[in-house]
Amino acid sequence: MNEIFEYSPTLVYIYTAIIGAMLGSFLNVVMARLPEKGMFFSNKRSFCPACSETIKWYDLFPVISWFILLGKCRSCKAQISFRYPIVELLGAALAVSAIYMFGFTPLALIIYPVLMILLAVSLIDFDTTEIPDSLIIALIPFSIAAIWLFDDVTLLSHIIGAFTISLPMLLIALLISGAFGGGDIKLMAVCGLFLGWQLTLLSFFIALILGGGVAAYLLLSGRRERGSHMVFGPALCIGITISIYFGKDIIDYYLSNFWI
């Protein structure tokens, strides 16, 4: 595979982007059906949520079909959310970036699905304020595989990572009602196993900055009242994603410049 990449990297990136966009389209289906219990494993073909008309195969091309249809259902002309092509483009971007950062390696093949699951977690949590257990379970095999594929992270670091943030979050949630949701705690446990304790700490630190900044903005702008529930899953997922791509560089830079 690496030989093919070296021979024609541009072509590889194009094929990777196409496959990523197709998986992004599938992710749209997952996010639409998963919150509705029993729908995800249905063999029913894609359909318009407004009129329930089955979508024709020629209207299922990622990104392109949305623009051809001008963002509307062919049958009933109901508006199709702009988020659909955005997710498909993100699927393509994450696929290309995973190959660019980690090459054609087994590591890239586990990182990409993890990033896609995190994308689904973020958007479902944003929409429903819940993180489905099925997505947490889907992360487990990749977290176990990471124990063998991350050469510079020890087994002990992976194990400690599973508890570094999730255990304090659990204790805080038990002491302060509504401080953290169960989905957030389980997400950090599984992703902590994936990352190891150092990157897990960094992920949570980034999430606190992002989540705290958004919360402060919403409170100051009057869009949220003090004490109202705010989702934390998207911030955690962004923190984890940044740590996957740049975590080691961030930690090395910090230790080189600020650690005494």
Side-chain angles (χ1 to χ4, degrees):
M1 276 299 221
N2 281 316
E3 291 79 6
I4 298 175
F5 179 75
E6 292 174 2
Y7 178 74
S8 182
T10 302
L11 189 60
V12 169
Y13 283 135
I14 291 173
Y15 279 126
T16 301
I18 292 172
I19 295 171
M22 292 171 63
L23 292 173
S25 181
F26 172 73
L27 196 68
N28 277 321
V29 176
V30 172
M31 291 188 293
R33 299 186 180 190
L34 193 56
E36 301 179 25
K37 294 181 180 180
M39 282 293 290
F40 177 56
F41 296 103
S42 169
N43 59 3
K44 187 173 182 179
R45 291 180 55 191
S46 297
F47 58 91
C48 172
C51 66
S52 299
E53 184 72 19
T54 299
I55 300 175
K56 304 295 189 295
W57 66 267
Y58 45 79
D59 289 333
L60 292 173
F61 289 97
V63 182
I64 297 172
S65 292
W66 190 91
F67 284 99
I68 290 176
L69 294 171
L70 301 178
K72 296 180 180 180
C73 170
R74 186 182 292 275
S75 299
C76 68
K77 306 304 179 185
Q79 194 71 37
I80 302 172
S81 173
F82 187 57
R83 194 166 80 175
Y84 283 89
I86 291 296
V87 170
E88 291 163 354
L89 287 171
L90 283 173
L94 290 173
V96 170
S97 62
I99 296 299
Y100 177 80
M101 294 290 290
F102 304 101
F104 270 107
T105 62
L107 184 59
L109 294 179
I110 69 165
I111 283 177
Y112 176 65
V114 166
L115 295 174
M116 292 295 281
I117 294 171
L118 291 176
L119 177 59
V121 167
S122 297
L123 295 176
I124 290 177
D125 191 27
F126 182 81
D127 290 339
T128 68
T129 70
E130 293 183 1
I131 298 176
D133 286 339
S134 54
L135 292 181
I136 303 296
I137 294 171
L139 286 168
I140 293 175
F142 300 109
S143 295
I144 295 173
I147 295 173
W148 286 274
L149 294 177
F150 279 113
D151 296 330
D152 51 351
V153 181
T154 65
L155 173 60
L156 182 60
S157 178
H158 283 290
I159 295 173
I160 295 174
F163 301 98
T164 298
I165 295 300
S166 62
L167 185 57
M169 288 176 72
L170 175 60
L171 294 175
I172 293 172
L174 292 174
L175 294 172
I176 305 173
S177 178
F180 295 107
D184 297 332
I185 297 169
K186 288 178 279 190
L187 176 66
M188 289 309 297
V190 176
C191 289
L193 179 64
F194 181 84
L195 293 170
W197 71 268
Q198 289 180 313
L199 293 181
T200 302
L201 285 174
L202 177 63
S203 299
F204 190 69
F205 179 71
I206 294 171
L208 284 178
I209 294 174
L210 293 174
V214 171
Y217 167 75
L218 292 175
L219 290 172
L220 292 173
S221 63
R223 298 186 180 186
R224 287 287 190 279
E225 296 181 359
R226 187 178 298 275
S228 61
H229 178 75
M230 298 184 189
V231 294
F232 193 41
L236 290 173
C237 291
I238 292 173
I240 294 165
T241 299
I242 292 174
S243 293
I244 289 174
Y245 279 120
F246 310 110
K248 293 183 179 64
D249 293 332
I250 293 172
I251 291 173
D252 289 342
Y253 178 81
Y254 174 80
L255 293 177
S256 299
N257 292 276
F258 301 103
W259 189 260
I260 300 176

